[in-house]
Amino acid sequence: MEFSKQDVKKELSVILPKEDIYIDEPMSKHTTFKIGGNADVFVKVRNEEQILKIVKFCNENNIPMNIVGNGSNLLVRDNGIRGIVAKMCMDSYHFIDECTVNVEAGMLNAKLARILMENELTGFEFASGIPGTIGGAIRMNAGAYGKEMKDIVLDAKVLTKEGKTEILKNEELEFKYRNSIIAKENLIVLEVRLKLKKGDSQSIK
């Protein structure tokens, strides 16, 4: 990086609380395999405004940036990751109608499965045991038991490498087996709308 790590921390402290910025953070703390060297600068992102500003900062200063969720599909080499690693901690949700829910990218699949079960919504059960976040599940079109994310996604709000937000409908997400346009074009998932069906909470459980 042209900037020193401390310079980057100073610049980012305008965007993020200082307690959400870490220098030389071991990635072994943030992967389920508990391996990996240090990230030069590791940040926790808690809202859309923060990630927009971080991407803008990285673009303007030619600083490499990587996005992580729960680290459950991630192997990090011993020499770590250069630049900025941003962990998506955005995990709020709201119901649009009785069968449609809007979920931020950092929501854990297991947590979302419980929320949907409590609200008697069926269709997400297949993903309840898939480790990771909804953002990662969309990126790789996660699936199990003959079901995939493409079966329940209406659309996703994404951030491009240029720092622009877009809404991509299901067909525009180009879902394939364990792949999507998110992965192919290295887009950042911000939030997703899922369409479920009414069910019985005991049957769902």
Side-chain angles (χ1 to χ4, degrees), residues 15-17 28 98 101-102 107 112 126 131-132 137 171 176 178 188 198:
I15 302 169
L16 301 167
S28 57
E98 66 173 9
V101 62
N102 194 84
M107 171 78 76
L112 179 59
F126 75 90
E171 58 272 19
K176 293 183 173 60
R178 304 301 171 261
I188 300 171
K198 292 302 287 184

PDB file of all heavy atoms in Angstrom, residues 15-17 28 98 101-102 107 112 126 131-132 137 171 176 178 188 198:
ATOM      1  N   ILE A  15     -14.555   7.234   9.072  1.00  0.00           N
ATOM      2  CA  ILE A  15     -15.702   6.467   8.583  1.00  0.00           C
ATOM      3  C   ILE A  15     -16.248   5.522   9.643  1.00  0.00           C
ATOM      4  O   ILE A  15     -17.462   5.355   9.787  1.00  0.00           O
ATOM      5  CB  ILE A  15     -15.289   5.645   7.332  1.00  0.00           C
ATOM      6  CG1 ILE A  15     -14.755   6.563   6.231  1.00  0.00           C
ATOM      7  CG2 ILE A  15     -16.454   4.806   6.819  1.00  0.00           C
ATOM      8  CD1 ILE A  15     -14.093   5.805   5.080  1.00  0.00           C
ATOM      9  N   LEU A  16     -15.343   4.917  10.397  1.00  0.00           N
ATOM     10  CA  LEU A  16     -15.702   3.849  11.332  1.00  0.00           C
ATOM     11  C   LEU A  16     -15.288   4.201  12.756  1.00  0.00           C
ATOM     12  O   LEU A  16     -14.322   4.940  12.959  1.00  0.00           O
ATOM     13  CB  LEU A  16     -14.966   2.549  10.944  1.00  0.00           C
ATOM     14  CG  LEU A  16     -15.214   1.979   9.550  1.00  0.00           C
ATOM     15  CD1 LEU A  16     -14.165   0.919   9.256  1.00  0.00           C
ATOM     16  CD2 LEU A  16     -16.601   1.395   9.448  1.00  0.00           C
ATOM     17  N   PRO A  17     -15.979   3.627  13.748  1.00  0.00           N
ATOM     18  CA  PRO A  17     -15.495   3.751  15.123  1.00  0.00           C
ATOM     19  C   PRO A  17     -14.119   3.088  15.243  1.00  0.00           C
ATOM     20  O   PRO A  17     -13.859   2.067  14.593  1.00  0.00           O
ATOM     21  CB  PRO A  17     -16.533   2.973  15.938  1.00  0.00           C
ATOM     22  CG  PRO A  17     -17.722   2.839  15.058  1.00  0.00           C
ATOM     23  CD  PRO A  17     -17.223   2.838  13.654  1.00  0.00           C
ATOM     24  N   SER A  28      -6.906 -15.955  11.371  1.00  0.00           N
ATOM     25  CA  SER A  28      -7.290 -17.191  12.056  1.00  0.00           C
ATOM     26  C   SER A  28      -8.435 -16.956  13.037  1.00  0.00           C
ATOM     27  O   SER A  28      -9.181 -17.874  13.377  1.00  0.00           O
ATOM     28  CB  SER A  28      -6.083 -17.776  12.810  1.00  0.00           C
ATOM     29  OG  SER A  28      -5.559 -16.837  13.732  1.00  0.00           O
ATOM     30  N   GLU A  98     -46.252 -10.649   4.473  1.00  0.00           N
ATOM     31  CA  GLU A  98     -46.225 -11.826   5.347  1.00  0.00           C
ATOM     32  C   GLU A  98     -45.336 -12.957   4.831  1.00  0.00           C
ATOM     33  O   GLU A  98     -44.962 -13.855   5.598  1.00  0.00           O
ATOM     34  CB  GLU A  98     -47.636 -12.353   5.604  1.00  0.00           C
ATOM     35  CG  GLU A  98     -48.348 -12.903   4.391  1.00  0.00           C
ATOM     36  CD  GLU A  98     -49.671 -13.564   4.751  1.00  0.00           C
ATOM     37  OE1 GLU A  98     -50.122 -13.448   5.915  1.00  0.00           O
ATOM     38  OE2 GLU A  98     -50.252 -14.212   3.865  1.00  0.00           O
ATOM     39  N   VAL A 101     -39.234 -11.235   2.971  1.00  0.00           N
ATOM     40  CA  VAL A 101     -38.352 -10.650   3.975  1.00  0.00           C
ATOM     41  C   VAL A 101     -37.120 -10.045   3.301  1.00  0.00           C
ATOM     42  O   VAL A 101     -36.591 -10.589   2.337  1.00  0.00           O
ATOM     43  CB  VAL A 101     -37.940 -11.705   5.034  1.00  0.00           C
ATOM     44  CG1 VAL A 101     -37.157 -12.852   4.404  1.00  0.00           C
ATOM     45  CG2 VAL A 101     -37.129 -11.072   6.155  1.00  0.00           C
ATOM     46  N   ASN A 102     -36.714  -8.897   3.801  1.00  0.00           N
ATOM     47  CA  ASN A 102     -35.499  -8.235   3.339  1.00  0.00           C
ATOM     48  C   ASN A 102     -34.430  -8.453   4.403  1.00  0.00           C
ATOM     49  O   ASN A 102     -34.637  -8.150   5.577  1.00  0.00           O
ATOM     50  CB  ASN A 102     -35.748  -6.737   3.143  1.00  0.00           C
ATOM     51  CG  ASN A 102     -34.650  -6.057   2.358  1.00  0.00           C
ATOM     52  OD1 ASN A 102     -34.633  -6.065   1.140  1.00  0.00           O
ATOM     53  ND2 ASN A 102     -33.693  -5.463   3.068  1.00  0.00           N
ATOM     54  N   MET A 107     -26.270 -11.367   7.938  1.00  0.00           N
ATOM     55  CA  MET A 107     -27.118 -12.251   8.748  1.00  0.00           C
ATOM     56  C   MET A 107     -26.670 -13.711   8.590  1.00  0.00           C
ATOM     57  O   MET A 107     -26.521 -14.206   7.466  1.00  0.00           O
ATOM     58  CB  MET A 107     -28.569 -12.123   8.313  1.00  0.00           C
ATOM     59  CG  MET A 107     -29.516 -13.137   8.924  1.00  0.00           C
ATOM     60  SD  MET A 107     -30.009 -12.789  10.624  1.00  0.00           S
ATOM     61  CE  MET A 107     -31.205 -11.468  10.383  1.00  0.00           C
ATOM     62  N   LEU A 112     -31.193 -16.680  10.562  1.00  0.00           N
ATOM     63  CA  LEU A 112     -32.319 -16.383   9.688  1.00  0.00           C
ATOM     64  C   LEU A 112     -33.307 -17.548   9.670  1.00  0.00           C
ATOM     65  O   LEU A 112     -34.522 -17.337   9.679  1.00  0.00           O
ATOM     66  CB  LEU A 112     -31.831 -16.074   8.271  1.00  0.00           C
ATOM     67  CG  LEU A 112     -32.915 -15.773   7.242  1.00  0.00           C
ATOM     68  CD1 LEU A 112     -33.768 -14.573   7.662  1.00  0.00           C
ATOM     69  CD2 LEU A 112     -32.294 -15.516   5.861  1.00  0.00           C
ATOM     70  N   PHE A 126     -33.595 -25.757   3.985  1.00  0.00           N
ATOM     71  CA  PHE A 126     -32.407 -26.378   3.397  1.00  0.00           C
ATOM     72  C   PHE A 126     -31.117 -25.656   3.783  1.00  0.00           C
ATOM     73  O   PHE A 126     -30.045 -26.254   3.844  1.00  0.00           O
ATOM     74  CB  PHE A 126     -32.527 -26.426   1.857  1.00  0.00           C
ATOM     75  CG  PHE A 126     -32.323 -25.103   1.180  1.00  0.00           C
ATOM     76  CD1 PHE A 126     -31.066 -24.696   0.780  1.00  0.00           C
ATOM     77  CD2 PHE A 126     -33.398 -24.245   0.938  1.00  0.00           C
ATOM     78  CE1 PHE A 126     -30.867 -23.467   0.151  1.00  0.00           C
ATOM     79  CE2 PHE A 126     -33.217 -23.027   0.321  1.00  0.00           C
ATOM     80  CZ  PHE A 126     -31.944 -22.635  -0.075  1.00  0.00           C
ATOM     81  N   PRO A 131     -23.205 -23.308   7.075  1.00  0.00           N
ATOM     82  CA  PRO A 131     -22.507 -22.273   7.844  1.00  0.00           C
ATOM     83  C   PRO A 131     -22.274 -21.028   6.996  1.00  0.00           C
ATOM     84  O   PRO A 131     -22.164 -21.109   5.777  1.00  0.00           O
ATOM     85  CB  PRO A 131     -21.181 -22.944   8.218  1.00  0.00           C
ATOM     86  CG  PRO A 131     -20.973 -23.972   7.155  1.00  0.00           C
ATOM     87  CD  PRO A 131     -22.344 -24.455   6.784  1.00  0.00           C
ATOM     88  N   GLY A 132     -22.233 -19.879   7.639  1.00  0.00           N
ATOM     89  CA  GLY A 132     -21.969 -18.656   6.895  1.00  0.00           C
ATOM     90  C   GLY A 132     -23.147 -17.707   6.905  1.00  0.00           C
ATOM     91  O   GLY A 132     -24.140 -17.899   7.609  1.00  0.00           O
ATOM     92  N   ALA A 137     -24.096 -16.992   0.964  1.00  0.00           N
ATOM     93  CA  ALA A 137     -24.997 -17.986   0.369  1.00  0.00           C
ATOM     94  C   ALA A 137     -25.482 -17.531  -1.010  1.00  0.00           C
ATOM     95  O   ALA A 137     -25.610 -18.337  -1.929  1.00  0.00           O
ATOM     96  CB  ALA A 137     -26.180 -18.234   1.296  1.00  0.00           C
ATOM     97  N   GLU A 171     -33.110 -13.362 -12.165  1.00  0.00           N
ATOM     98  CA  GLU A 171     -32.513 -13.807 -13.425  1.00  0.00           C
ATOM     99  C   GLU A 171     -31.214 -13.064 -13.746  1.00  0.00           C
ATOM    100  O   GLU A 171     -30.314 -13.602 -14.408  1.00  0.00           O
ATOM    101  CB  GLU A 171     -33.512 -13.664 -14.579  1.00  0.00           C
ATOM    102  CG  GLU A 171     -34.049 -12.253 -14.812  1.00  0.00           C
ATOM    103  CD  GLU A 171     -35.283 -11.939 -13.990  1.00  0.00           C
ATOM    104  OE1 GLU A 171     -35.547 -12.624 -12.983  1.00  0.00           O
ATOM    105  OE2 GLU A 171     -35.996 -10.980 -14.366  1.00  0.00           O
ATOM    106  N   LYS A 176     -25.965 -20.209 -10.983  1.00  0.00           N
ATOM    107  CA  LYS A 176     -25.597 -21.511 -11.528  1.00  0.00           C
ATOM    108  C   LYS A 176     -25.164 -22.378 -10.351  1.00  0.00           C
ATOM    109  O   LYS A 176     -25.203 -21.940  -9.209  1.00  0.00           O
ATOM    110  CB  LYS A 176     -24.474 -21.366 -12.559  1.00  0.00           C
ATOM    111  CG  LYS A 176     -24.904 -20.616 -13.818  1.00  0.00           C
ATOM    112  CD  LYS A 176     -23.774 -20.565 -14.838  1.00  0.00           C
ATOM    113  CE  LYS A 176     -24.253 -19.981 -16.156  1.00  0.00           C
ATOM    114  NZ  LYS A 176     -24.766 -18.615 -16.026  1.00  0.00           N
ATOM    115  N   ARG A 178     -23.363 -23.471  -7.546  1.00  0.00           N
ATOM    116  CA  ARG A 178     -22.362 -22.868  -6.648  1.00  0.00           C
ATOM    117  C   ARG A 178     -21.667 -21.662  -7.270  1.00  0.00           C
ATOM    118  O   ARG A 178     -20.480 -21.431  -7.054  1.00  0.00           O
ATOM    119  CB  ARG A 178     -21.336 -23.920  -6.199  1.00  0.00           C
ATOM    120  CG  ARG A 178     -21.939 -25.148  -5.533  1.00  0.00           C
ATOM    121  CD  ARG A 178     -22.740 -24.792  -4.282  1.00  0.00           C
ATOM    122  NE  ARG A 178     -23.478 -25.950  -3.782  1.00  0.00           N
ATOM    123  CZ  ARG A 178     -24.770 -26.169  -4.021  1.00  0.00           C
ATOM    124  NH1 ARG A 178     -25.484 -25.319  -4.734  1.00  0.00           N
ATOM    125  NH2 ARG A 178     -25.365 -27.234  -3.535  1.00  0.00           N
ATOM    126  N   ILE A 188     -20.366  -6.925  -4.254  1.00  0.00           N
ATOM    127  CA  ILE A 188     -20.576  -7.036  -2.816  1.00  0.00           C
ATOM    128  C   ILE A 188     -22.076  -7.066  -2.551  1.00  0.00           C
ATOM    129  O   ILE A 188     -22.800  -6.145  -2.942  1.00  0.00           O
ATOM    130  CB  ILE A 188     -19.949  -5.842  -2.066  1.00  0.00           C
ATOM    131  CG1 ILE A 188     -18.436  -5.784  -2.324  1.00  0.00           C
ATOM    132  CG2 ILE A 188     -20.238  -5.933  -0.572  1.00  0.00           C
ATOM    133  CD1 ILE A 188     -17.786  -4.499  -1.800  1.00  0.00           C
ATOM    134  N   LYS A 198     -46.077 -19.549   3.609  1.00  0.00           N
ATOM    135  CA  LYS A 198     -46.584 -19.798   4.964  1.00  0.00           C
ATOM    136  C   LYS A 198     -46.540 -21.318   5.237  1.00  0.00           C
ATOM    137  O   LYS A 198     -46.824 -22.121   4.358  1.00  0.00           O
ATOM    138  CB  LYS A 198     -48.009 -19.280   5.131  1.00  0.00           C
ATOM    139  CG  LYS A 198     -48.133 -17.768   5.091  1.00  0.00           C
ATOM    140  CD  LYS A 198     -47.302 -17.060   6.161  1.00  0.00           C
ATOM    141  CE  LYS A 198     -47.883 -17.223   7.539  1.00  0.00           C
ATOM    142  NZ  LYS A 198     -47.092 -16.437   8.574  1.00  0.00           N
TER     143      LYS A 198
END
